Amino acid sequence: MLLNSIVAVVIIVIAIFTVKKYKMSMKYGCCGSADSGEGRRVEVADKNPEDYPYTAVLDIKGMTCENCVRYVENALNEQGDNRRQADESCSPL
């Protein structure tokens, strides 16, 4: 009887976390992150594209929403005095 109760509690806890994650993903996109609101982009100080003579193209898989693009851009723009811009045309996995 005690073992059945423990198993039932574990299943209920897993179900609660699953429903919570699903609600977050429906509200905030596939990343499900409430802290990734609009306007939280990391910008570089020098926005003139002519000051950046070199270009590199990175093929990053898994960007499925605007939150994903923002995360990638922010992570890259935090890496020094370079200008990075992620392609807005995300494709699902």
Side-chain angles (χ1 to χ4, degrees), residues 6-77:
I6 293 172
V7 171
V9 169
V10 169
I11 290 173
I12 290 171
V13 169
I14 291 171
I16 289 171
F17 281 111
T18 302
V19 169
K20 184 178 176 182
K21 177 65 177 170
Y22 177 73
K23 284 183 177 180
M24 291 286 286
S25 68
M26 294 305 291
K27 185 173 183 181
Y28 298 109
C30 69
C31 302
S33 177
D35 65 345
S36 62
E38 289 296 324
R40 290 192 173 226
R41 289 190 185 271
V42 174
E43 297 290 337
V44 293
D46 185 6
K47 296 182 181 181
N48 185 0
E50 294 177 2
D51 292 339
Y52 303 98
Y54 303 106
T55 301
V57 177
L58 304 174
D59 186 21
I60 301 173
K61 304 284 185 202
M63 294 193 310
T64 58
C65 69
E66 291 180 25
N67 286 336
C68 298
V69 172
R70 187 174 23 258
Y71 282 133
V72 170
E73 280 185 351
N74 287 346
L76 294 173
N77 283 331

